Amino acid sequence: MSSFKIRKEERKGTIVAFLVALMLNMLNIVRYAGELSVKSGDTWGLFFRTWRLSGFDPITYAVITDWRVGYNIYRHPLLPYFMWPFTKINEGLMWLTGYNCVMYVTATLLIFCSVYSFVFLNRIFTDIIGINRKEGYILSALTFSFAYIMLASFAPDHFIMSMCCLLATLYVFGRERAVVLEKQKKATVLDACLLFIVTAGVTLSNGLKVIAVAFLSKGKKFFPYYFITLLTLSGMVWGSARLTYHYLVRPTEVANKEKAAKKREMQLERLVAKYGEAKRDSIERKLKEKRERRYKKSAVYKHTGKPIAKGEFMRWTDATTNRWDVAVESLFGEGIMLHEDYLLKDVLVNRPVIVRYVNWFNYIIEALLVLLFVAGVWMGRHSRFLWLCLACFAVDMSLHLGLGFGINEMAIMSAHYLWVLPIAMAYMLKRLSERYRHRLTMLLALYLMAWNGILIVEYLFWN
């Protein structure tokens, strides 16, 4: 818990981070509170019809309003249970006020995660890498100026929670190699357990990053205690997901399938009654063809590539979407700078997978950021801590660009990995003259804040 104590020298920067996160969440609340604060029987439908922001889902609003599993339990095995206390808080507030206060409860959680993401990131810059506090603040500001990290700070999804967990993991395991701290605290097995449960519980794939960080940090000491403990926890988390699916999710899925089948049967019987029993097979075939045509016209079908293989999980992969276009326009594009065309539209509803910038200057900014990242990786190549960060980045690149998980909307996952860019840049800054080294990153941060901030406000209030 000592890691959550704000140091005296961190207070000014933390206050600024809090005010920025508060402002972004207030923009969201001002835009949607009038519609979402009303009690409704169909909370799921209300939130999904009303709140729209790119590929983010307002599942957290629905779960906190009326607790249910909600999330894909195999991707977020413990997240519904983490949300349960907030459901109870919201129930109490609804009883007191008569309004659904879910936006305010969720905003509190998102602001907390945003602020501590800033705190842990800044400690990585100052304590572990060893740049001065001013430069750390500038690089932290640059991180939060990235479009989909800025959006994650107020979108009622899980991404800023994941970012906070990952940065806490890197900081805890990186402290023993800190260049500034007088006492390098070593991460213990208990630290690894707590970080794995929270991080993998929020997003299962991020549990791989905790294991990778622990292994690279501890080396031979990873065996046998860390290995056995994390392997056991992996089985427990996965077992929890399977049990939740079997007892809480599958009955609902079966009921929904039966309801849909009954609706199709009723439609068939109406048409058979109208045209005669002799035409039943023809009518049934035509209805099936009509459903297939409608599906093939949908954005979900058009914007989803062919899977590598069929199966429970491999069906989520993508073998056909162009990786280079995704890297340019989504990974280092939309994730960092919003596109003006199809502004914050959803790729599964009304946006193409690949959108290109109207302004060529944005490609120059993107290329500059990538070059700074590559230069930082080269200059910090001897740092064990940088390799911990790059291992996390490699996990995501393997999943998204390699296997194609979520590749058609890769930008929304930016909070899982884009923070590695400024961390790598910090190693480059250490090699430059102190007089000039922070100016370029400060200009980039100001440009991205202005560009993304203006477009976010435009989308919320004028689109």
Side-chain angles (χ1 to χ4, degrees), residues 188 322-323 418 443:
T188 64
N322 187 290
R323 267 52 175 176
L418 273 187
L443 290 173

Side-chain angles (χ1 to χ4, degrees), residues 300-313:
V300 174
Y301 177 81
K302 291 179 179 179
H303 299 163
T304 302
K306 294 181 180 179
I308 296 171
K310 293 181 180 180
E312 187 176 8
F313 300 106

Side-chain angles (χ1 to χ4, degrees), residues 127 174-186:
D127 296 354
R175 283 183 307 189
E176 55 194 87
R177 300 182 182 277
V179 299
V180 172
L181 291 177
E182 293 181 4
K183 185 178 180 181
Q184 285 83 9
K185 296 182 180 179
K186 293 186 177 181

Side-chain angles (χ1 to χ4, degrees), residues 232-300:
T232 303
L233 286 176
S234 298
M236 292 174 65
V237 170
W238 181 250
S240 169
R242 297 294 294 186
L243 288 171
T244 300
Y245 176 78
H246 182 75
Y247 289 106
L248 297 179
V249 178
R250 190 172 182 275
T252 303
E253 288 183 349
V254 171
N256 289 338
K257 287 179 180 178
E258 290 176 351
K259 185 178 179 181
K262 187 176 181 180
K263 186 177 180 180
R264 289 195 298 269
E265 185 66 26
M266 290 174 63
Q267 183 185 23
L268 174 63
E269 293 301 327
R270 284 196 301 268
L271 292 172
V272 168
K274 183 176 181 180
Y275 295 106
E277 183 67 31
K279 294 186 177 182
R280 174 180 288 273
D281 291 341
S282 175
I283 292 170
E284 190 171 5
R285 185 179 66 255
K286 288 180 179 179
L287 286 174
K288 184 177 180 181
E289 290 173 351
K290 184 179 179 181
R291 288 193 296 269
E292 289 178 353
R293 286 196 302 271
R294 187 185 300 120
Y295 173 68
K296 288 182 179 180
K297 289 180 181 178
S298 69
V300 174

Side-chain angles (χ1 to χ4, degrees), residues 121-194:
L121 184 60
N122 194 60
R123 287 178 184 174
I124 286 171
F125 290 134
T126 56
D127 296 354
I128 298 173
I129 300 175
I131 60 176
N132 65 50
R133 191 161 300 280
K134 179 181 179 181
E135 292 164 346
Y137 282 150
I138 291 171
L139 285 174
S140 298
L142 176 63
T143 306
F144 280 86
S145 71
F146 292 166
Y148 273 72
I149 292 180
M150 189 182 290
L151 290 167
S153 298
F154 67 88
D157 215 315
H158 69 280
F159 294 103
I160 198 66
M161 304 177 209
S162 291
M163 180 174 169
C164 185
C165 294
L166 289 169
L167 292 174
T169 299
L170 288 168
Y171 176 68
V172 169
F173 278 94
R175 283 183 307 189
E176 55 194 87
R177 300 182 182 277
V179 299
V180 172
L181 291 177
E182 293 181 4
K183 185 178 180 181
Q184 285 83 9
K185 296 182 180 179
K186 293 186 177 181
T188 64
V189 174
L190 179 60
D191 290 329
C193 291
L194 293 174

Side-chain angles (χ1 to χ4, degrees), residues 379-402:
M379 293 182 182
R381 64 190 183 279
H382 299 300
S383 168
R384 175 72 69 89
F385 178 77
L386 180 58
W387 285 105
L388 303 185
C389 301
L390 292 175
C392 295
F393 184 70
V395 169
D396 282 311
M397 295 307 101
S398 299
L399 289 172
H400 302 312
L401 288 182

